[in-house]
Structures are given as structure tokens and as C-alpha cells.
Amino acid sequence: MTRRTLRATLAALKYLSLTVAAVAMMLPIALIVIGAFKGKREFLKSGPFDLPENWLDFSNFVTAFTRGGMLQAFANTSIILVISVTGTVLIGAFAAYAIDRFEFRGRAVVLGLFLLATLVPAVTTQVATFQIVNSLGIFNTRWAAILLFMGTDIVSIYIFLQFIRNIPRELDEAAALEGAGHFRIFFQIILPMLKPAIATVVIIKGIGIYNEFYTPFLYMPSRDLGVISTSLFRFMGPYGAQWEVICAGILIVLIPTLLAFLFLQRYIYSGFAAGATK
Amino acid sequence: MSTLTQAPSKASTAAGEGLTEEPTPARRPHRTIRSKATPWLFLLLPLTLLGLLTYLPVANMFWYSLTDWDGLDPVKNFVGLKNYVNAFTQPANLRVFYVSLFYFVGAFAQMGLALYFATLLSFSTVFRNMWKGLLFFPYLINGVAIGLIFNNFLRPDGGLDSLLISMGLDDLILQWTGNPAVVNYTLASVSVWRYMGLNFVLFLGAIQSIGAEQYEAAALDGANRWQQFRHLILPSIRPIVGLSAILAVSGALSVFEIPFIMTGGANGSETFVIRTVHTAFQLNHVGLASAMAVVLLLIVLVITWVQRTLLPDDPDAKAARRAARRKTKEAGA
């Protein structure tokens, strides 16, 4: 009997602590949802937990979208995201194919250079990277962000390298016997076989670029080049006191993330596990 | 891009020629020539970007750090180690290390919480996926959005204040981001909120890689929950916990987004990276900023080296798993 009560108490404590944690995680977000549907005066007068009078008042979202430049931001982010992710996949797969499938002089050095680069956090070298981007003449263009997203992603190369090892070499050898060249083998055999690794890289990289603040903030200061992060950051100026509009802007940014999470949950968990432990 | 489109045709013809000669002994030299050039064609773009955006900046940064360059002047005067002396003697430059201590301690609180919830959810739980999702989701949110969510939550008369008032704890209300004595605790806590989910999912994954039969063996042997945690769960996650602990050091030094967005580094919340960016791009002291960045890079390299020597990842994990298996086997016998 005592054992049973102990067990019940433990179970109760378990669900209690889970509930407390879930509330702590979600409460700050819930207040944003409540705030986004309030009118200007309503927001100032009511407490943060008071529900909005009209859940169908989308005027804050309209303001955020039109005057906050969110439409332009989504366009810029999408352009940068598509090009950078495609480039990252190709570059990572190119490097992995060359390193894993060929014996050539300097192979060990090349591999060593890529591995050594994982130790250099990009955040430490920005002071000097900035000068390079500047001298290439792409400062304050989308190409600055695209180049940096494509060129500094060693983790993706690492993921492709680990994955390509498990693709049987007999496949490429058979294709070579049938007369396929290296580039055909790469595009018609290796790349399709890399699909799971590509999915991982696309998901991690896609979420990473969608959320990236530092790079666009530093390299694309022009207003027209605002991406999701920098446009939302700019809300703090003109809407400094208009929390209801900021709340709407935050929700606009959050919704795509939530949808991606709900639909890709399984891949996201395993993708981040693969990316974090390399 | 033009190199990309041209390259395939060249290589495939080269490969084709080699293959037509397949049966003849002359094939060998062809193959060597071919495989000498082809990998470099594939590596052209990756290596160019690697050199341009990783190694060249590192080399330049070392050079800038020995000069008085302002980022614009065509002339860079060599000043020796003066910037390094400045980096370590100006009080404002030293303060950032003190600030990073808050995030460092926060990282350990974060790992403790993550371990606790990962262990809880590794046992059968109602709505397991829902709890997992709720704890992990904050990690996916845009950093600027997180900063603003918490600026709203922590503003005077905001969510936290109202919550404390409704519980009769009015006395606990503070200026969460305005008071220099409080701000770093606040920001480090927001950082825990943001990153706990990743640690949690990594730990949970490691725990779940333990086979069900091991739990069954332990249960048959009468091992209670604590014994299962001590002898089965803990050894299996030791490598990933060790990795996270060491990453906490470089993570604490590279904090940027949350303090930059929430306070702009005001009220004593300036971090190493905020200070470096400020020194380089607002004050135009590129030389000094480079010296600071070199210091950060060297610290990170030393930490990584310590990690690799202390925790060689694979053999360690295997040894731990083997030990756990042996233990359960002994328990079974």
C-alpha cells in the first residue's frame, strides 16, 4: 500500500514538473498571441493576461505586414534561403564525393583543412571577413549573405562525408563500367543516394538561415534588403511603444516555424541530433 | 557559376575516353591522369570558399591585430602587441569575461534541467510527444523574436510582474533588464529558456539508444528507477554531457543575440562579441577588435583541444556502453 502511494506521488510529481516546465516555455509566447489581437488603447489599459475583446481584429497584422515591410522580408529571406541551401547541398556533396571516392595526392591535407575549419567559430572572424566581403564589392547586397551561408558551412560537408561512406562503391563502379563519367555518376547515382543527408542539411540549414540575425544585420544594412530577423529587429524603433504591432510581427515570424515543426518534427529532431554531434 | 556548367562535359568526355580503352593495358596511366584532375574539379568551389571565408580571414585577423588599422585607411601601421595589452588592460574589455560567467553558470543549469526532463520522458509517459515538442520548440524560434517576446514578458507591468502580483509576491518585482545588478541573471535565464530544448533532445536521444532488453534485464533483476538511472542511463549519456559541458565555455564567450536584441549591451550586459563588433564597426578600431577576436579564437581552440584529449568521442562512448552491458549481464547472472 505505501509502495503504491509512493508510486502515485512520484507520478504526480512527474506530471506536475512537466506541466510547470511546459507553462514556463509557452507562457511568454501565449502573451504575444493575446497582445497581437488587442487595439492600441486596449493594450495599454488591460493587463497582459486579459484576453482581447475581439479575436478577429487583424489590423495589427495588416500594419506589421504593410508598414513593417514583412512582405519584402519574406521575399528576401526566401531568395537567400533557396540559393544558399541549394549551394550548400551542392558544395557539401561535391567535397564529400571528391574526398571519399578518389585517391589523390593532397587528399589528407584537404580533409584536414575542412576538419580544422570546424574549430574556427565564424563569430570570431567577422572583423576580417567583413573586409573580404567589402573588397569583393558585394557588401549590402543579397550575395553577401548567400556567399557567407554557402561558404562557411563545414558541418554540412561533415554530414555528407559521413553519409557517403555508407553508399556502396559497387554502385559507382557498375555505372563507370557502363560508361558513365564522374559527373554523371555524381548527379545520377551519388546525389539521389544522398537524399536523407540532403534532407537533414536542408532542414537544419533552412531553419538556421530563417533565424539568422548576425550576418544580415552586419552585411545588409539597407532597408530594402531586410530579412525576417532584421525587419523584425527594426520594429523596435518606430513601434517602440506599440507592443500590439510588435506582437503581431512576432507571430508572423513564428507561424512558419510552427508549421515547419509540426510537419517535419521527426526529421527536425534527428537532424539536429546529427548536426550537433557531428 | 560558369565553371560549374562547363566542368561536367570536360570530365565526362575524359572518363568516356578512358573507358573505351578498358581492356587494353594502356588504361592504367589514363586512369591516373583522370583521377588526378577530377577530384580537384569537384573541390574547386568548396576549397575556394573555404580559403576565402575561413582561412584568409583568420590570417588577416592575426595581421590586423598587430596594426593600428581603422578599417578604411590604406596604411596599416605595425604596432606590435599594443592591441593585446589594451585588450587585457582596459576595464571595459575585461568586464565581458565577467559577464560570460553568468551564461556559463546558466549553461550548467540548462544541462541539469535537460537531463532531468530527458530522464523523466525516457520512462513511459502520457502525451510524451507533446511534452517533448513543448520543451523543444523554443529552440527553433527566431532569436530576434525571442528577444522581443521576453522584452514584452519582462517589461514593467508585463507578464512576469502581473504573475508575481497575482501570487502576492509584489516584493520580488525588479527592473529585470534595467537594473545592472539583475540584468545578466535575466539574460542568462532567457538563454537557458532558448537552448534547454536542444540539450534535452540530445540527451533523450542518447538515453533512447539504450536497448529495451537492457531495461528489461535491469527490471528483472529488481533494479529500481534510481539504479537504472545510475547504472544504465548515466553511462550512456556521459559523452554527450561531456561534449555539452565543454561547448558551454565557448558558448558563454560567443553570446551575442539575446543581450544585443534585448538591451543592446546596456546596463552592464555587454558581452565579448557585442564589444568586438562595437569596437570594430562603431569605433573603427579594427586592430584592437582583431586582437580581441584572436584572443576569443585562441580560447575556443584551447577548449576544443582539451575536449578532444579528455573526451575522445567514439571509443569512450563504446566503452561506456560495454561497461553498462557487462553490468546488466552480471546483474542477470
Side-chain angles (χ1 to χ4, degrees):
Chain A
M1 189 60 195
T2 43
R3 214 196 156 103
R4 237 169 109 184
T5 38
L6 179 72
R7 201 161 252 212
T9 323
L10 279 180
L13 280 177
K14 171 181 172 173
Y15 287 100
L16 183 69
S17 61
L18 281 171
T19 309
V20 169
V23 168
M25 289 308 205
M26 291 304 131
L27 193 64
I29 304 174
L31 294 186
I32 297 296
V33 180
I34 292 174
F37 289 94
K38 287 182 179 175
K40 189 175 182 178
R41 198 174 303 150
E42 189 191 355
F43 191 95
L44 292 174
K45 275 191 172 171
S46 61
F49 289 95
D50 298 337
L51 297 180
E53 286 161 12
N54 180 5
W55 279 104
L56 294 173
D57 180 7
F58 288 96
S59 55
N60 294 327
F61 293 88
V62 175
T63 312
F65 242 114
T66 52
R67 282 195 278 150
M70 290 312 275
L71 213 57
Q72 176 85 56
F74 272 98
N76 285 332
T77 295
S78 307
I79 295 169
I80 292 172
L81 197 137
V82 169
I83 302 178
S84 310
V85 168
T86 312
T88 303
V89 166
L90 279 178
I91 288 166
F94 277 156
Y97 180 59
I99 292 171
D100 188 69
R101 291 300 210 252
F102 293 89
E103 284 296 331
F104 55 97
R105 196 182 294 177
R107 185 177 164 276
V109 177
V110 169
L111 184 59
L113 282 175
F114 281 113
L115 295 188
L116 192 64
T118 58
L119 305 182
V120 182
V123 81
T124 62
T125 52
Q126 281 323 311
V127 177
T129 308
F130 186 86
Q131 312 301 335
I132 290 171
V133 169
N134 207 3
S135 64
L136 289 175
I138 55 171
F139 172 71
N140 215 2
T141 69
R142 291 189 196 95
W143 292 106
I146 291 171
L147 188 75
L148 287 166
F149 288 146
M150 286 197 313
T152 52
D153 190 359
I154 318 290
V155 174
S156 296
I157 295 182
Y158 218 101
I159 290 173
F160 282 120
L161 256 178
Q162 290 194 323
F163 199 90
I164 204 169
R165 280 188 199 135
N166 300 322
I167 300 177
R169 275 160 195 261
E170 289 76 39
L171 283 176
D172 357 345
E173 277 159 18
L177 281 178
E178 280 168 31
H182 290 298
F183 279 83
R184 255 188 71 194
I185 292 176
F186 175 80
F187 282 104
Q188 292 189 352
I189 292 171
I190 300 290
L191 217 48
M193 291 290 288
L194 280 174
K195 251 183 213 153
I198 293 174
T200 303
V201 168
V202 167
I203 287 171
I204 305 184
K205 190 80 184 166
I207 293 173
I209 292 176
Y210 183 83
N211 289 340
E212 173 73 27
F213 170 67
Y214 191 84
T215 303
F217 177 73
L218 208 58
Y219 293 93
M220 295 158 43
S222 157
R223 250 199 117 73
D224 311 333
L225 296 177
V227 295
I228 302 286
S229 301
T230 46
S231 299
L232 189 60
F233 185 67
R234 286 196 190 108
F235 271 50
M236 288 204 290
Y239 303 106
Q242 275 177 266
W243 272 108
E244 68 284 354
V245 179
I246 298 181
C247 286
I250 295 170
L251 270 194
I252 291 172
V253 171
L254 262 182
I255 286 164
T257 310
L258 182 64
L259 291 178
F261 178 60
L262 291 179
F263 286 109
L264 301 170
Q265 247 182 80
R266 230 159 19 100
Y267 303 97
I268 287 177
Y269 288 135
S270 59
F272 277 101
T277 50
K278 280 185 286 197
Chain B
M1 271 326 213
S2 63
T3 47
L4 259 182
T5 44
Q6 279 168 10
S9 58
K10 249 191 235 164
S12 51
T13 47
E17 277 162 23
L19 281 162
T20 49
E21 291 169 44
E22 186 88 13
T24 65
R27 164 186 149 245
R28 212 160 258 287
H30 273 274
R31 187 177 210 171
T32 344
I33 292 163
R34 191 176 65 219
S35 49
K36 246 182 197 162
T38 328
W40 294 108
L41 280 175
F42 279 100
L43 283 170
L44 187 67
L45 199 56
L47 277 181
T48 309
L49 290 175
L50 182 72
L52 190 69
L53 298 172
T54 300
Y55 287 104
L56 190 60
V58 171
N60 280 348
M61 200 168 73
F62 274 98
W63 158 234
Y64 297 157
S65 76
L66 302 173
T67 72
D68 65 352
W69 197 36
D70 64 358
L72 300 164
D73 207 315
V75 189
K76 303 181 186 74
N77 298 311
F78 183 78
V79 294
L81 294 177
K82 199 175 139 226
N83 289 324
Y84 288 91
V85 175
N86 268 346
F88 278 109
T89 49
Q90 285 175 10
N93 291 339
L94 287 176
R95 214 196 119 79
V96 294
F97 288 103
Y98 165 73
V99 171
S100 67
L101 283 179
F102 288 85
Y103 294 91
F104 184 66
V105 174
F108 281 88
Q110 173 185 316
M111 282 167 53
L113 285 171
L115 188 54
Y116 171 73
F117 287 112
T119 311
L120 271 196
L121 286 187
S122 68
F123 297 109
S124 70
T125 308
V126 187
F127 300 131
R128 201 160 146 277
N129 272 335
M130 181 195 77
W131 300 117
K132 188 179 169 188
L134 288 173
L135 294 181
F136 176 73
F137 183 66
Y139 176 71
L140 295 179
I141 300 177
N142 185 294
V144 178
I146 291 180
L148 293 175
I149 287 171
F150 276 94
N151 271 350
N152 176 55
F153 189 63
L154 300 170
R155 73 190 152 83
D157 299 322
L160 186 57
D161 289 2
S162 309
L163 198 66
L164 289 173
I165 290 169
S166 72
M167 295 194 294
L169 299 168
D170 314 39
D171 298 343
L172 290 181
I173 290 177
L174 291 164
Q175 276 198 297
W176 304 110
T177 55
N179 182 347
V182 182
V183 65
N184 287 314
Y185 291 99
T186 306
L187 297 177
S189 309
V190 175
S191 183
V192 171
W193 184 91
R194 182 180 189 186
Y195 292 109
M196 198 277 277
L198 179 67
N199 275 150
F200 156 74
V201 162
L202 293 180
F203 293 168
L204 187 61
I207 295 175
Q208 284 175 335
S209 66
I210 305 170
E213 68 279 6
Q214 292 188 46
Y215 283 111
E216 280 160 24
L220 270 178
D221 197 53
N224 63 27
R225 289 278 156 96
W226 170 249
Q227 286 164 334
Q228 285 184 28
F229 176 77
R230 179 74 194 73
H231 297 293
L232 208 56
I233 295 179
L234 211 54
S236 74
I237 54 168
R238 216 175 62 94
I240 184 83
V241 172
L243 182 71
S244 311
I246 281 163
L247 289 179
V249 186
S250 38
L253 287 169
S254 335
V255 172
F256 173 72
E257 278 189 7
I258 285 174
F260 186 77
I261 291 154
M262 288 182 67
T263 64
N267 307 324
S269 63
E270 198 173 42
T271 64
F272 203 124
V273 177
I274 295 181
R275 176 125 200 104
T276 312
V277 170
H278 178 74
T279 309
F281 301 114
Q282 259 107 58
L283 304 178
N284 292 328
H285 296 161
V286 173
L288 176 59
S290 298
M292 292 166 65
V294 168
V295 170
L296 179 57
L297 177 61
L298 291 180
I299 295 174
V300 171
L301 287 180
V302 168
I303 291 161
T304 316
W305 176 76
V306 170
Q307 171 213 328
R308 298 268 151 109
T309 37
L310 284 186
L311 300 160
D313 28 42
D314 260 344
D316 209 35
K318 265 183 212 147
R321 244 175 279 135
R322 220 177 297 128
R325 219 171 292 139
R326 212 179 307 125
K327 242 170 216 149
T328 43
K329 256 186 203 155
E330 279 165 13

